[in-house]
Amino acid sequence: MPKRIFSGAQPTGNLHIGNYLGALRNWVALQHEYESFFCVVDLHAITVPQDPKELAAKSREVARIYLAAGVDPNVSTIFVQSDVQEHAELAWVINCVVRISELERMTQYKDKAKRQRENVSVGLLTYPALMAADILLYQTDLVPVGQDQKQHLELTRDVAERFNRDYGETFRVPDAFIPKVGAKIMALDDPSKKMSKSDENANGRISLLDDAATIRRKFKRAVTDSGTDVRFDASRPAVTNLLSVFQLLTGKTPEEIESHFAGKGYAQLKSDLAEATIEFLRPFQERMRDIGDEELSRTLKGGADKARSIAAETMRAVRERMGIVGA
Ligand code: ATP
Ligand code: LTN
């Protein structure tokens, strides 16, 4: 069997350069070496309230972003999670295998629950069970994600191993693929927080759909550290974050970048970074406009059909192993 990749993003808010540099970029790079599945995880999005019309539109927009970013529908399978019912079915099974204590330990759950106080849905707690289902349904080998998903991947591995032990070898145990640079792009307004699409302050993130003026303004306002020289330095997280983005977008080495900025200050870094980002996003945004609605529908229909056939095969094995085979 070819080695497989599975990954996904939630259709909430606007995807930003953190999502691109931490995840999408690696999907594009790895898709020719692996059989790849890229999912728009709308069932994850409803763990917090969503406007139904907006959610449906966002799901298509995120799929369009995958395509515009370079996911090739001729080699990769792109689909929307709710088109493949096996995700919800396996999630239930995994809910019966995972322990509450394991879910309560997840830092993403703790953060999100804290922000929502008393209106925390059960879905928000069992979110990692659905994520494990996504991954395990496709007998995935590798899951390219940002740093924030590492804990969920470890839980997925634990659950797969437990299931295999208790019911017999059923799932492949996946590895996370977390890039060395870019796995955690920090917010522009606060370098102690990750860049996030759900943060209420949009100035902290560069959306993949931002126009040139917005990009220049956001970088201009970005928080910097004390000091003046522009170099990679762990004790100056804000400037190092900006430099990492510059490094990934331009493909230059840290040495080349430091010599480019020698004798220049933070203002020059911000303005060069803004121009590099604008240049980088220009062809992406053009492709976004060029992808027709019909083309998108065709891709998602084909993707769902392919995904469904593999997911159904795994579910058949799961049902048989567990004795949930109907009458
Ligand atoms: P939010 O950005 O609101 O925190 P999220 O992390 O839930 O949303 P998703 O759309 O589900 O966002 O994430 C898609 C991918 O982007 C995941 O692999 C995630 O790890 C990665 N990612 C998210 N934020 C960053 C970031 N700041 N830096 C690097 N990768 C990131
Ligand atoms: N939880 C992920 C999104 C996600 C995912 C997945 C990523 C849902 N299912 C399966 C990789 C594999 C997040 O980034 N918030």
Side-chain angles (χ1 to χ4, degrees):
M1 257 221 272
K3 293 252 180 195
R4 287 211 182 118
I5 278 184
F6 184 98
S7 198
Q10 301 189 75
T12 51
N14 291 323
L15 264 65
H16 49 70
I17 54 169
N19 298 127
Y20 176 78
L21 297 173
L24 263 152
R25 175 176 187 269
N26 299 313
W27 306 357
V28 174
L30 294 165
Q31 65 181 336
H32 298 288
E33 287 167 55
Y34 292 80
E35 187 181 1
S36 306
F37 295 80
F38 300 119
C39 184
V40 178
V41 294
D42 56 347
L43 299 179
H44 280 94
I46 60 167
T47 53
V48 297
Q50 302 290 341
D51 176 84
K53 274 213 187 73
E54 245 173 63
L55 180 61
K58 272 282 170 212
S59 293
R60 287 178 65 87
E61 185 189 275
V62 170
R64 201 184 281 269
I65 286 176
Y66 292 180
L67 291 167
V71 176
D72 178 352
N74 296 311
V75 300
S76 299
T77 301
I78 303 173
F79 68 105
V80 178
Q81 193 181 27
S82 57
D83 268 332
V84 182
Q85 298 190 358
E86 282 79 1
H87 289 254
E89 187 179 358
L90 184 58
W92 171 253
V93 168
I94 291 175
N95 271 320
C96 298
V97 174
V98 72
R99 319 234 200 279
I100 293 182
S101 58
E102 289 174 313
L103 295 171
E104 282 173 340
R105 237 180 274 139
M106 296 292 112
T107 55
Q108 182 176 301
Y109 168 72
K110 289 194 273 189
D111 289 349
K112 292 200 176 173
K114 202 163 45 193
R115 269 184 267 157
Q116 282 178 244
R117 301 258 179 75
E118 62 268 27
N119 296 324
V120 177
S121 72
V122 174
L124 196 65
L125 177 65
T126 68
Y127 176 114
L130 178 59
M131 179 163 165
D134 298 342
I135 295 165
L136 300 178
L137 267 180
Y138 300 93
Q139 305 293 354
T140 302
D141 296 281
L142 200 65
V143 186
V145 283
Q147 177 69 32
D148 61 323
Q149 297 304 313
K150 187 163 179 263
Q151 199 184 26
H152 289 162
L153 252 297
E154 281 160 8
L155 181 60
T156 301
R157 291 172 57 88
D158 290 345
V159 163
E161 281 166 358
R162 187 175 307 152
F163 190 99
N164 288 346
R165 193 192 59 217
D166 293 350
Y167 297 102
E169 205 56 32
T170 308
F171 297 124
R172 238 186 257 185
V173 180
D175 287 310
F177 176 97
I178 296 172
K180 285 203 184 65
V181 185
K184 192 173 185 185
I185 302 297
M186 308 313 275
L188 301 181
D189 61 328
D190 180 355
S192 70
K193 293 190 309 197
K194 78 161 190 137
M195 187 178 285
S196 163
K197 58 180 142 72
S198 48
D199 197 285
E200 70 265 4
N201 186 0
N203 289 325
R205 59 182 170 261
I206 304 286
S207 157
L208 296 176
L209 303 174
D210 277 348
D211 61 24
T214 307
I215 292 170
R216 289 194 186 100
R217 176 175 54 75
K218 286 181 179 174
F219 277 124
K220 206 173 237 168
R221 284 201 194 167
V223 167
T224 47
D225 313 279
S226 56
T228 51
D229 53 331
V230 179
R231 57 185 167 79
F232 290 87
D233 173 356
S235 70
R236 289 192 289 163
V239 168
T240 299
N241 185 47
L242 296 179
L243 284 169
S244 300
V245 174
F246 192 75
Q247 179 187 346
L248 291 163
L249 292 181
T250 61
K252 290 191 185 358
T253 65
E255 295 73 32
E256 287 169 338
I257 293 171
E258 287 186 351
S259 77
H260 170 81
F261 287 112
K264 298 175 183 152
Y266 293 162
Q268 188 70 46
L269 167 61
K270 289 174 166 189
S271 113
D272 287 6
L273 180 53
E275 297 317 309
T277 306
I278 291 163
E279 274 321 299
F280 175 81
L281 289 179
R282 194 192 315 276
F284 164 82
Q285 293 180 354
E286 272 165 25
R287 283 194 294 275
M288 273 304 273
R289 285 189 287 270
D290 287 347
I291 298 163
D293 258 346
E294 267 175 44
E295 179 190 350
L296 184 65
S297 297
R298 227 180 309 118
T299 299
L300 293 176
K301 163 103 182 33
D305 289 343
K306 167 95 190 279
R308 215 177 280 122
S309 73
I310 295 166
E313 208 179 302
T314 302
M315 255 341 278
R316 254 195 306 279
V318 169
R319 287 198 210 100
E320 202 179 296
R321 302 274 146 79
M322 296 190 93
I324 45 172
V325 290

